[in-house]
Amino acid sequence: MTVAWQQAEITLGAGFDYANPYTDVEVWADFTHDTGMTVRRPAFWDGGRVWRVRFAPPLSGGRWIWRTHSSVEDPGLGGRMGELEVRSGAVESPNPFLRHGFWRMSPGGRNLVHADATPALLVADTAWALPWRATEGDVRVYAADRASKGFNAVLLMTLQPDMDARGPQDRTADEGFDVAFEDLPDGHLNRMRPSYFQYFDRLHAVLLEHGIAPVLQPVFQGFGWKGLRTAGAAIPPVEYARYCRYLLARYGAAPAVWLVGADGSGSEPQVSAGGREIEAWDAYGQPTGVHYRPHARNDAHQDAPWLDFQWCQTGHRGEHVPERVADMWRNLPAKAVANGEPTYENTGEHGRADGWWQGHEAWSNLCAGGTMGVIYGAAGLWQWRLHAAEPGHQPFFLAPDAGWREALDFAGSRHVGMIAHILAGLPLADMVPDWQLTFAPRGLSVPGRLYVTYAEHGGPLRIHPDTDHAVPRPYRVYDPLTGEITGKGHRHQGDLVIPDDGGAARVFICYDGWAADTPGSPT
């Protein structure tokens, strides 16, 4: 017995040995519900004669009958059958993915929603190197910190992507890393090491325990870990697509975002091959998209049916460039957008993009149209630098005197995570940039239901008399650095000013779901 959206696993044993099970054998299973709904899930090879199928029932209650299929005649892999009972009723869990289901795109394609249509905002960190460098103990420390601050996602390179990187196969040794494919240094993904992914399963489980969804990137196209000839643009597209399917088989029955291209132009043939493969096999419709290098157009595959989102990158010089997000918002057909890589905090020197810089950046990108969410990065953490003196990394991308553990405590992460706390529970789906409702430089609206604006220096928010009807009457004013409510109330007809003393950053939220409060009374 299981519950909706909780992963169940079926183990299969092959009847024969195969020269290379990863490349030579395909296995999948069809799950059919009492209602007639069918979900197809690919299986993955897990070493020796073992294959596994992972499935999360998307319906509450009922029975699923499953049957396996194989590309080879093998009685242990094809033609196996069984059933799975699902408990009825709502799931009582602090984990939103169990209560509401996996993420998918909103009806207008601009935002995330859960399977039951509950709105969601991605608040993500970039711990790119965690899968091949971190230990299970490390990840428990990391996940607890990020979850407490409000983060619900993390960007991960699923394997070490640099073909020329060398070091001991040891997560605890300087310049060491675990290896997913023995032939990656030759630009191929054929000789898989299942033990790598068995360890990654444990790290993955820790993240999910803390409500943190992995944003899974197959093989980087851009800088990679140390900038040593990344394999993402060298691997044959058919091998790249096969690996995408493997990742989907292993991790796709749990919360996930699929980042098929990263730090490249987006036009690399591997990107479209991976996107099509995920579209063909992802029965849950979880978000799939591309993250670009700084000098890119950010619109590759804009009309592709597999593409759900586009993420720009503004580079690592400590400059605010929200217009890149605004430009992407205007591209058609509409896709969700975000700034996937602002400047990492303390990159190259103390003070670069540190502290509130990160909060201002996140709120500015959000209000410019980056309504899929906000993304943060810390120098030293993204490489998972083991300690402050570990050699072998490019100094420009490091925070001086910091390993991953010190970088975890950089102040900017608190400001970015605070966005999740301030916007929790609001109807964010398909909110749009709006500069017509108030005399403010930044704003988002769901007309008549919700209005959010970020004021860099605070001060009174003046509402345009011609659009007063579109701004909900109940309001709250937040200090975005602390999350404190500094004012709240309910405007009356003709009352066109929400008061604030000014001199500090403020977030104004007008929401029709709040009860009428006494004007200006703080909590």
Side-chain angles (χ1 to χ4, degrees), residues 383-469:
Q383 305 99 325
W384 211 267
R385 192 185 192 191
L386 298 188
H387 56 85
E390 186 189 18
H393 300 279
Q394 289 198 14
F396 176 80
F397 290 110
L398 292 176
D401 305 319
W404 75 269
R405 185 59 190 84
E406 292 80 12
L408 193 64
D409 295 331
F410 290 167
S413 61
R414 294 196 299 273
H415 300 313
V416 177
M418 187 60 67
I419 292 177
H421 298 296
I422 291 174
L423 298 182
L426 296 175
L428 306 176
D430 293 320
M431 56 185 175
V432 299
D434 197 321
W435 295 272
Q436 301 180 61
L437 300 183
T438 68
F439 295 93
R442 305 174 182 89
L444 295 165
S445 74
V446 179
R449 288 225 63 198
L450 175 69
Y451 178 70
V452 178
T453 188
Y454 162 60
E456 183 177 355
H457 305 293
L461 179 66
R462 302 185 185 279
I463 298 162
H464 197 287
D466 294 342
T467 56
D468 182 34
H469 63 281

Coordinates of all heavy atoms in Angstrom, one line a residue, residues 383-469:
Q383 N 31.2 24.9 -6.5 CA 32.2 23.9 -6.8 C 32.3 22.8 -5.8 O 33.0 21.8 -6.0 CB 33.6 24.5 -6.9 CG 33.7 25.7 -7.9 CD 33.6 27.0 -7.1 OE1 32.9 27.1 -6.1 NE2 34.3 28.0 -7.6
W384 N 31.6 23.0 -4.7 CA 31.7 22.1 -3.5 C 33.2 22.0 -3.1 O 33.7 20.9 -2.9 CB 31.1 20.7 -3.7 CG 30.5 20.2 -2.4 CD1 31.2 19.4 -1.5 CD2 29.3 20.5 -1.8 NE1 30.4 19.2 -0.4 CE2 29.2 19.8 -0.5 CE3 28.2 21.2 -2.1 CZ2 28.1 19.8 0.3 CZ3 27.0 21.3 -1.3 CH2 27.0 20.6 -0.1
R385 N 33.8 23.2 -3.0 CA 35.2 23.2 -2.5 C 35.3 22.6 -1.1 O 34.6 23.1 -0.2 CB 35.7 24.7 -2.5 CG 37.2 24.8 -2.4 CD 37.5 26.3 -2.3 NE 39.0 26.5 -2.4 CZ 39.6 27.7 -2.1 NH1 38.8 28.7 -1.7 NH2 40.9 27.8 -2.3
L386 N 36.1 21.7 -0.9 CA 36.1 20.9 0.3 C 36.5 21.7 1.5 O 36.0 21.6 2.6 CB 37.0 19.7 0.2 CG 36.6 18.6 -0.9 CD1 37.5 17.4 -0.7 CD2 35.1 18.3 -0.8
H387 N 37.5 22.6 1.3 CA 37.9 23.5 2.4 C 38.6 24.8 1.8 O 38.8 24.8 0.6 CB 38.9 22.8 3.3 CG 40.1 22.2 2.6 ND1 41.2 23.0 2.4 CD2 40.3 21.0 2.1 CE1 42.1 22.2 1.8 NE2 41.6 21.0 1.6
A388 N 38.8 25.7 2.6 CA 39.3 27.0 2.1 C 40.6 27.0 1.4 O 40.9 27.9 0.6 CB 39.3 28.0 3.2
A389 N 41.4 26.0 1.6 CA 42.7 25.9 1.0 C 42.8 24.9 -0.1 O 43.9 24.6 -0.6 CB 43.8 25.6 2.1
E390 N 41.7 24.2 -0.5 CA 41.8 23.2 -1.5 C 42.3 23.8 -2.8 O 41.7 24.8 -3.3 CB 40.4 22.5 -1.7 CG 40.5 21.4 -2.7 CD 39.2 20.8 -3.2 OE1 38.2 21.5 -3.0 OE2 39.2 19.7 -3.7
P391 N 43.3 23.2 -3.4 CA 43.8 23.8 -4.7 C 43.0 23.3 -5.9 O 42.1 22.5 -5.8 CB 45.2 23.2 -4.7 CG 45.1 21.9 -4.0 CD 44.0 22.1 -3.0
G392 N 43.4 23.8 -7.1 CA 43.0 23.3 -8.3 C 41.8 24.0 -9.0 O 41.3 23.6 -10.0
H393 N 41.2 25.1 -8.3 CA 40.1 25.8 -8.8 C 40.6 27.2 -9.4 O 41.5 27.7 -8.9 CB 39.0 26.0 -7.8 CG 38.5 24.7 -7.2 ND1 37.5 24.0 -7.8 CD2 38.8 24.0 -6.1 CE1 37.3 22.9 -7.1 NE2 38.0 22.9 -6.0
Q394 N 39.8 27.7 -10.3 CA 40.2 29.0 -10.8 C 39.8 30.1 -9.8 O 38.7 30.2 -9.3 CB 39.4 29.3 -12.1 CG 39.9 28.4 -13.3 CD 39.5 29.0 -14.6 OE1 39.1 30.2 -14.8 NE2 39.7 28.2 -15.7
P395 N 40.8 30.9 -9.5 CA 40.6 31.9 -8.4 C 39.4 32.8 -8.6 O 38.7 33.2 -7.7 CB 41.9 32.7 -8.3 CG 42.9 31.7 -8.9 CD 42.2 30.9 -9.9
F396 N 39.1 33.2 -9.9 CA 38.0 34.2 -10.2 C 36.7 33.6 -9.6 O 35.8 34.4 -9.2 CB 37.9 34.4 -11.7 CG 36.7 35.4 -12.0 CD1 36.8 36.7 -11.8 CD2 35.5 34.8 -12.4 CE1 35.8 37.6 -12.1 CE2 34.5 35.7 -12.7 CZ 34.6 37.0 -12.5
F397 N 36.5 32.3 -9.7 CA 35.2 31.8 -9.3 C 35.1 31.4 -7.8 O 34.1 30.8 -7.3 CB 34.8 30.6 -10.1 CG 34.5 31.0 -11.6 CD1 35.4 30.6 -12.6 CD2 33.3 31.7 -11.8 CE1 35.1 31.0 -13.9 CE2 33.0 32.0 -13.1 CZ 33.9 31.7 -14.2
L398 N 36.2 31.6 -7.0 CA 36.2 31.2 -5.6 C 36.0 32.4 -4.7 O 36.3 33.6 -5.1 CB 37.6 30.7 -5.3 CG 38.0 29.3 -5.9 CD1 39.4 28.9 -5.5 CD2 37.0 28.2 -5.5
A399 N 35.4 32.1 -3.6 CA 35.3 33.1 -2.5 C 36.6 33.0 -1.7 O 36.9 31.9 -1.2 CB 34.1 32.9 -1.6
P400 N 37.4 34.0 -1.5 CA 38.6 33.9 -0.7 C 38.3 33.3 0.7 O 37.4 33.7 1.3 CB 39.1 35.4 -0.6 CG 38.5 36.0 -1.8 CD 37.1 35.4 -2.0
D401 N 39.1 32.4 1.1 CA 39.1 31.8 2.4 C 37.8 31.1 2.7 O 37.3 31.2 3.9 CB 39.4 32.9 3.5 CG 40.7 33.7 3.2 OD1 41.7 33.0 2.8 OD2 40.7 34.9 3.4
A402 N 37.2 30.5 1.7 CA 35.9 29.8 2.0 C 35.8 28.5 1.2 O 36.1 28.4 0.0 CB 34.7 30.7 1.6
G403 N 35.5 27.5 1.9 CA 35.0 26.2 1.3 C 33.5 26.2 1.3 O 32.9 27.2 1.6
W404 N 32.9 25.0 0.9 CA 31.5 25.0 0.8 C 30.8 25.3 2.1 O 29.7 26.0 2.1 CB 31.0 23.6 0.3 CG 31.1 22.5 1.3 CD1 32.1 21.7 1.5 CD2 30.0 22.1 2.2 NE1 31.8 20.8 2.5 CE2 30.5 21.0 3.0 CE3 28.8 22.6 2.4 CZ2 29.8 20.4 3.9 CZ3 28.0 22.0 3.4 CH2 28.5 20.9 4.2
R405 N 31.4 24.9 3.2 CA 30.7 25.1 4.5 C 30.6 26.5 4.9 O 29.6 27.0 5.4 CB 31.4 24.2 5.6 CG 30.6 24.3 6.9 CD 29.2 23.7 6.8 NE 28.4 24.0 8.0 CZ 27.8 25.1 8.2 NH1 27.9 26.2 7.4 NH2 27.0 25.2 9.3
E406 N 31.7 27.2 4.7 CA 31.7 28.7 5.0 C 30.8 29.4 4.0 O 30.0 30.3 4.5 CB 33.1 29.3 4.9 CG 34.1 28.8 6.0 CD 34.7 27.4 5.7 OE1 34.5 26.9 4.6 OE2 35.3 26.8 6.6
A407 N 30.8 29.0 2.8 CA 29.9 29.7 1.8 C 28.4 29.5 2.1 O 27.6 30.3 1.7 CB 30.3 29.2 0.4
L408 N 28.1 28.4 2.7 CA 26.7 28.1 3.1 C 26.1 29.2 3.9 O 24.9 29.4 3.9 CB 26.7 26.7 3.8 CG 25.3 26.1 4.0 CD1 24.7 25.7 2.7 CD2 25.4 24.8 4.9
D409 N 27.0 29.9 4.7 CA 26.5 30.9 5.6 C 26.6 32.3 5.1 O 26.3 33.3 5.8 CB 27.3 30.8 6.9 CG 27.1 29.5 7.7 OD1 26.1 28.9 7.6 OD2 28.1 29.1 8.3
F410 N 26.9 32.5 3.8 CA 26.9 33.9 3.2 C 25.5 34.5 3.4 O 24.5 33.8 3.2 CB 27.3 33.8 1.8 CG 28.7 33.5 1.5 CD1 29.1 33.2 0.2 CD2 29.7 33.5 2.5 CE1 30.4 32.9 -0.1 CE2 31.0 33.2 2.2 CZ 31.4 32.9 0.9
A411 N 25.5 35.8 3.7 CA 24.3 36.4 4.1 C 23.2 36.5 3.0 O 22.0 36.5 3.3 CB 24.6 37.9 4.6
G412 N 23.7 36.6 1.8 CA 22.7 36.7 0.7 C 21.7 35.6 0.6 O 20.6 35.8 0.1
S413 N 22.1 34.4 1.0 CA 21.2 33.3 0.9 C 19.9 33.5 1.7 O 18.8 33.1 1.4 CB 21.8 32.0 1.3 OG 22.3 32.0 2.6
R414 N 20.1 34.2 2.9 CA 18.9 34.5 3.7 C 17.9 35.4 3.0 O 16.7 35.3 3.1 CB 19.3 35.1 5.0 CG 20.1 34.1 5.9 CD 20.2 34.6 7.3 NE 20.9 35.9 7.4 CZ 22.2 36.1 7.5 NH1 23.0 35.0 7.6 NH2 22.7 37.3 7.6
H415 N 18.5 36.4 2.3 CA 17.6 37.4 1.6 C 16.9 36.7 0.4 O 15.7 37.1 0.2 CB 18.5 38.5 1.1 CG 19.2 39.3 2.2 ND1 18.6 39.6 3.4 CD2 20.5 39.7 2.3 CE1 19.4 40.2 4.2 NE2 20.6 40.3 3.6
V416 N 17.5 35.8 -0.3 CA 16.8 35.2 -1.4 C 15.8 34.2 -0.9 O 14.6 34.2 -1.3 CB 17.8 34.5 -2.3 CG1 17.1 33.7 -3.4 CG2 18.8 35.5 -2.9
G417 N 16.1 33.4 0.2 CA 15.2 32.5 0.7 C 14.0 33.2 1.3 O 12.9 32.6 1.4
M418 N 14.1 34.4 1.8 CA 13.0 35.1 2.4 C 11.9 35.4 1.5 O 10.7 35.5 1.9 CB 13.6 36.5 3.0 CG 12.5 37.3 3.8 SD 12.0 36.4 5.3 CE 13.5 36.4 6.2
I419 N 12.2 35.4 0.2 CA 11.1 35.6 -0.8 C 10.1 34.5 -0.7 O 8.9 34.7 -0.8 CB 11.7 35.6 -2.2 CG1 12.5 36.9 -2.4 CG2 10.6 35.6 -3.3 CD1 13.2 37.0 -3.7
A420 N 10.5 33.2 -0.4 CA 9.6 32.1 -0.3 C 8.6 32.4 0.9 O 7.4 32.1 0.8 CB 10.3 30.8 -0.1
H421 N 9.2 32.9 2.0 CA 8.4 33.1 3.2 C 7.3 34.2 3.0 O 6.2 34.1 3.4 CB 9.2 33.4 4.4 CG 10.2 32.3 4.8 ND1 9.7 31.1 5.2 CD2 11.5 32.2 4.8 CE1 10.8 30.3 5.5 NE2 11.9 31.0 5.2
I422 N 7.8 35.3 2.3 CA 6.9 36.4 2.1 C 5.8 36.1 1.1 O 4.6 36.6 1.3 CB 7.7 37.7 1.6 CG1 8.6 38.2 2.8 CG2 6.8 38.8 1.1 CD1 9.6 39.3 2.3
L423 N 6.1 35.4 0.1 CA 5.0 35.1 -0.9 C 4.3 33.8 -0.7 O 3.4 33.4 -1.5 CB 5.7 35.1 -2.3 CG 6.4 36.4 -2.8 CD1 7.0 36.2 -4.2 CD2 5.4 37.5 -2.7
A424 N 4.5 33.1 0.4 CA 3.9 31.8 0.7 C 2.4 31.9 0.7 O 1.8 32.9 1.3 CB 4.4 31.2 2.0
G425 N 1.7 31.0 0.0 CA 0.2 31.0 0.0 C -0.5 31.9 -0.9 O -1.7 31.9 -1.0
L426 N 0.2 32.7 -1.7 CA -0.4 33.7 -2.6 C -0.7 33.1 -3.9 O 0.0 32.1 -4.4 CB 0.5 34.9 -2.7 CG 0.7 35.7 -1.5 CD1 1.7 36.9 -1.8 CD2 -0.6 36.3 -0.9
P427 N -1.7 33.5 -4.6 CA -2.1 33.0 -5.9 C -1.2 33.5 -7.0 O -1.6 34.4 -7.9 CB -3.6 33.5 -6.1 CG -3.6 34.8 -5.4 CD -2.7 34.6 -4.2
L428 N 0.0 33.0 -7.1 CA 1.0 33.5 -8.0 C 0.9 33.1 -9.5 O 1.6 33.6 -10.3 CB 2.4 33.1 -7.5 CG 2.7 33.4 -6.0 CD1 4.1 32.8 -5.7 CD2 2.7 34.9 -5.8
A429 N 0.0 32.1 -9.7 CA 0.0 31.5 -11.1 C -0.3 32.5 -12.1 O -1.3 33.3 -12.0 CB -1.0 30.4 -11.1
D430 N 0.5 32.6 -13.1 CA 0.4 33.5 -14.3 C 0.3 35.0 -13.9 O -0.4 35.7 -14.6 CB -0.8 33.0 -15.2 CG -0.5 31.7 -15.8 OD1 0.6 31.5 -16.2 OD2 -1.4 30.8 -15.8
M431 N 1.0 35.4 -12.9 CA 1.1 36.8 -12.6 C 2.0 37.4 -13.7 O 2.9 36.7 -14.3 CB 1.7 37.0 -11.2 CG 3.0 36.4 -10.9 SD 3.5 36.6 -9.2 CE 5.0 35.6 -9.2
V432 N 1.7 38.7 -14.0 CA 2.4 39.3 -15.1 C 3.1 40.6 -14.6 O 2.6 41.3 -13.7 CB 1.4 39.6 -16.3 CG1 0.8 38.3 -16.8 CG2 0.3 40.6 -15.8
P433 N 4.2 41.0 -15.3 CA 4.7 42.4 -15.0 C 3.7 43.5 -15.3 O 3.0 43.4 -16.3 CB 5.9 42.5 -15.9 CG 6.3 41.1 -16.3 CD 5.0 40.3 -16.3
D434 N 3.6 44.4 -14.4 CA 2.6 45.5 -14.6 C 3.1 46.8 -14.0 O 3.4 46.9 -12.8 CB 1.3 45.0 -13.8 CG 0.1 45.8 -14.3 OD1 0.2 47.1 -14.5 OD2 -1.0 45.3 -14.4
W435 N 3.2 47.8 -14.9 CA 3.7 49.1 -14.5 C 2.5 50.1 -14.6 O 2.8 51.3 -14.5 CB 4.8 49.5 -15.3 CG 6.0 48.7 -15.2 CD1 7.0 48.8 -14.2 CD2 6.4 47.5 -15.9 NE1 8.0 47.8 -14.3 CE2 7.6 47.0 -15.4 CE3 5.8 46.8 -16.9 CZ2 8.2 45.9 -15.9 CZ3 6.4 45.7 -17.4 CH2 7.6 45.2 -16.9
Q436 N 1.3 49.7 -14.7 CA 0.2 50.6 -15.0 C -0.7 50.9 -13.7 O -1.4 51.8 -13.7 CB -0.7 50.1 -16.1 CG 0.0 49.9 -17.4 CD -0.9 49.3 -18.5 OE1 -1.9 50.0 -18.8 NE2 -0.6 48.2 -19.0
L437 N -0.5 50.0 -12.7 CA -1.5 50.1 -11.6 C -1.0 51.1 -10.6 O -1.9 51.7 -9.9 CB -1.6 48.7 -10.9 CG -2.1 47.6 -11.8 CD1 -2.3 46.3 -11.0 CD2 -3.5 48.0 -12.5
T438 N 0.3 51.3 -10.4 CA 0.8 52.2 -9.4 C 2.0 53.0 -9.9 O 2.5 52.7 -11.0 CB 1.3 51.4 -8.1 OG1 2.5 50.7 -8.5 CG2 0.2 50.5 -7.6
F439 N 2.3 54.0 -9.2 CA 3.5 54.8 -9.5 C 4.7 54.2 -8.9 O 5.3 54.7 -7.9 CB 3.4 56.3 -9.0 CG 2.2 57.0 -9.7 CD1 1.0 57.0 -9.2 CD2 2.4 57.7 -10.9 CE1 -0.1 57.7 -9.8 CE2 1.4 58.3 -11.5 CZ 0.1 58.4 -11.0
A440 N 5.1 53.0 -9.4 CA 6.2 52.2 -8.9 C 7.0 51.6 -10.1 O 6.4 51.3 -11.1 CB 5.7 51.1 -8.0
P441 N 8.3 51.4 -9.9 CA 9.1 51.0 -11.0 C 9.0 49.5 -11.3 O 9.4 49.0 -12.3 CB 10.5 51.3 -10.6 CG 10.5 51.3 -9.1 CD 9.1 51.8 -8.7
R442 N 8.5 48.7 -10.3 CA 8.5 47.3 -10.4 C 7.2 46.7 -9.9 O 6.8 47.1 -8.8 CB 9.6 46.6 -9.7 CG 11.0 47.1 -10.0 CD 12.0 46.5 -9.0 NE 13.4 47.0 -9.3 CZ 13.9 48.1 -8.8 NH1 13.2 48.8 -7.9 NH2 15.1 48.5 -9.0
G443 N 6.5 45.9 -10.6 CA 5.3 45.3 -10.1 C 4.8 44.1 -10.9 O 5.2 43.9 -12.0
L444 N 4.1 43.2 -10.2 CA 3.5 42.0 -10.7 C 2.0 42.0 -10.3 O 1.7 42.4 -9.2 CB 4.2 40.8 -10.2 CG 5.6 40.5 -10.6 CD1 6.2 39.5 -9.6 CD2 5.8 40.1 -12.0
S445 N 1.2 41.5 -11.2 CA -0.2 41.5 -10.9 C -0.9 40.2 -11.4 O -0.6 39.7 -12.5 CB -1.0 42.7 -11.4 OG -1.2 42.7 -12.8
V446 N -1.9 39.8 -10.7 CA -3.0 38.9 -11.2 C -4.2 39.8 -11.0 O -4.7 40.0 -9.9 CB -3.1 37.7 -10.3 CG1 -4.3 36.8 -10.8 CG2 -1.8 36.9 -10.3
P447 N -4.6 40.5 -12.1 CA -5.6 41.6 -12.0 C -6.8 41.3 -11.1 O -7.5 40.3 -11.3 CB -6.0 41.9 -13.4 CG -4.8 41.5 -14.2 CD -4.3 40.3 -13.5
G448 N -7.0 42.2 -10.2 CA -8.2 42.1 -9.3 C -7.9 41.1 -8.1 O -8.7 41.2 -7.1
R449 N -6.9 40.3 -8.1 CA -6.6 39.3 -7.1 C -5.4 39.6 -6.3 O -5.4 39.5 -5.1 CB -6.5 37.9 -7.7 CG -7.8 37.3 -8.2 CD -7.9 35.9 -7.7 NE -7.9 35.8 -6.2 CZ -7.6 34.7 -5.6 NH1 -7.3 33.6 -6.2 NH2 -7.7 34.6 -4.2
L450 N -4.3 40.0 -7.0 CA -3.0 40.1 -6.3 C -2.2 41.2 -7.0 O -2.1 41.3 -8.3 CB -2.3 38.8 -6.4 CG -0.8 38.8 -5.9 CD1 -0.8 38.9 -4.3 CD2 -0.2 37.4 -6.2
Y451 N -1.5 42.0 -6.2 CA -0.5 43.0 -6.8 C 0.7 42.9 -5.8 O 0.5 43.0 -4.6 CB -1.1 44.4 -6.9 CG -0.1 45.4 -7.4 CD1 0.3 45.3 -8.7 CD2 0.4 46.4 -6.5 CE1 1.3 46.3 -9.2 CE2 1.4 47.3 -7.0 CZ 1.8 47.2 -8.3 OH 2.7 48.1 -8.8
V452 N 1.9 42.8 -6.4 CA 3.1 42.8 -5.7 C 4.1 43.8 -6.3 O 4.3 43.8 -7.5 CB 3.8 41.4 -5.7 CG1 5.1 41.4 -5.0 CG2 2.9 40.3 -5.2
T453 N 4.7 44.6 -5.5 CA 5.7 45.5 -6.0 C 6.9 45.6 -5.0 O 6.7 45.5 -3.8 CB 5.1 46.9 -6.2 OG1 6.1 47.7 -6.9 CG2 4.7 47.6 -5.0
Y454 N 8.0 45.7 -5.6 CA 9.3 45.9 -4.8 C 9.8 47.3 -5.0 O 10.0 47.7 -6.1 CB 10.3 44.9 -5.2 CG 11.7 45.2 -4.8 CD1 12.0 45.3 -3.5 CD2 12.7 45.4 -5.8 CE1 13.3 45.6 -3.1 CE2 14.0 45.7 -5.4 CZ 14.3 45.8 -4.0 OH 15.6 46.2 -3.6
A455 N 9.9 48.0 -3.9 CA 10.4 49.4 -3.9 C 11.8 49.4 -3.2 O 11.9 49.2 -2.0 CB 9.4 50.3 -3.1
E456 N 12.8 49.7 -4.0 CA 14.2 49.6 -3.5 C 14.4 50.5 -2.3 O 15.2 50.2 -1.5 CB 15.1 50.0 -4.7 CG 16.5 49.9 -4.4 CD 17.4 50.2 -5.7 OE1 16.8 50.5 -6.7 OE2 18.6 50.3 -5.5
H457 N 13.8 51.7 -2.3 CA 14.0 52.6 -1.2 C 12.7 52.9 -0.4 O 12.7 53.8 0.5 CB 14.5 53.9 -1.8 CG 15.7 53.8 -2.6 ND1 17.0 53.4 -2.1 CD2 15.9 54.0 -3.9 CE1 17.9 53.3 -3.0 NE2 17.3 53.7 -4.2
G458 N 11.7 52.1 -0.6 CA 10.5 52.2 0.2 C 9.8 53.5 -0.1 O 9.9 54.1 -1.2
G459 N 9.0 54.1 0.8 CA 8.2 55.3 0.6 C 6.8 54.9 0.3 O 6.5 53.8 0.0
P460 N 5.9 55.9 0.3 CA 4.5 55.6 0.0 C 4.3 55.0 -1.4 O 4.9 55.4 -2.3 CB 3.8 57.0 0.2 CG 4.8 57.8 0.9 CD 6.2 57.3 0.6
L461 N 3.4 54.1 -1.4 CA 3.0 53.5 -2.7 C 1.7 54.2 -3.2 O 0.7 54.1 -2.5 CB 2.7 52.0 -2.6 CG 2.3 51.3 -3.9 CD1 3.4 51.3 -4.9 CD2 1.9 49.9 -3.6
R462 N 1.8 54.9 -4.3 CA 0.7 55.7 -4.9 C 0.0 54.9 -6.0 O 0.7 54.5 -7.0 CB 1.2 57.0 -5.4 CG 1.9 57.8 -4.2 CD 2.3 59.2 -4.6 NE 3.0 59.9 -3.6 CZ 2.5 60.4 -2.5 NH1 1.1 60.4 -2.4 NH2 3.2 61.0 -1.6
I463 N -1.3 54.7 -5.9 CA -2.0 53.9 -6.9 C -2.7 54.9 -7.9 O -3.2 56.0 -7.5 CB -3.1 53.1 -6.1 CG1 -2.4 52.1 -5.2 CG2 -4.0 52.4 -7.1 CD1 -3.3 51.6 -4.1
H464 N -2.6 54.5 -9.1 CA -3.1 55.3 -10.2 C -4.7 55.4 -10.1 O -5.3 54.3 -10.0 CB -2.7 54.8 -11.5 CG -2.9 55.8 -12.6 ND1 -4.1 56.2 -13.2 CD2 -2.0 56.6 -13.3 CE1 -3.9 57.0 -14.1 NE2 -2.6 57.3 -14.2
P465 N -5.3 56.5 -10.1 CA -6.7 56.6 -9.9 C -7.5 55.8 -11.0 O -8.6 55.3 -10.7 CB -7.1 58.1 -10.0 CG -5.9 58.7 -10.6 CD -4.7 57.9 -10.2
D466 N -7.0 55.8 -12.2 CA -7.7 55.1 -13.3 C -7.7 53.6 -13.1 O -8.5 52.9 -13.8 CB -7.1 55.4 -14.7 CG -7.3 56.9 -15.0 OD1 -8.2 57.5 -14.4 OD2 -6.6 57.4 -15.9
T467 N -6.8 53.0 -12.3 CA -6.6 51.6 -12.2 C -6.9 51.1 -10.8 O -6.6 50.0 -10.5 CB -5.2 51.1 -12.7 OG1 -4.2 51.8 -11.9 CG2 -5.1 51.4 -14.2
D468 N -7.4 52.0 -9.9 CA -7.6 51.6 -8.6 C -8.5 50.4 -8.4 O -8.3 49.6 -7.5 CB -8.3 52.8 -7.8 CG -8.6 52.5 -6.4 OD1 -7.7 51.9 -5.8 OD2 -9.6 53.0 -5.8
H469 N -9.4 50.2 -9.3 CA -10.3 49.0 -9.2 C -9.6 47.7 -9.4 O -10.1 46.6 -9.0 CB -11.4 49.1 -10.3 CG -10.9 49.1 -11.7 ND1 -10.3 50.2 -12.3 CD2 -10.8 48.0 -12.6 CE1 -9.8 49.8 -13.5 NE2 -10.1 48.5 -13.7

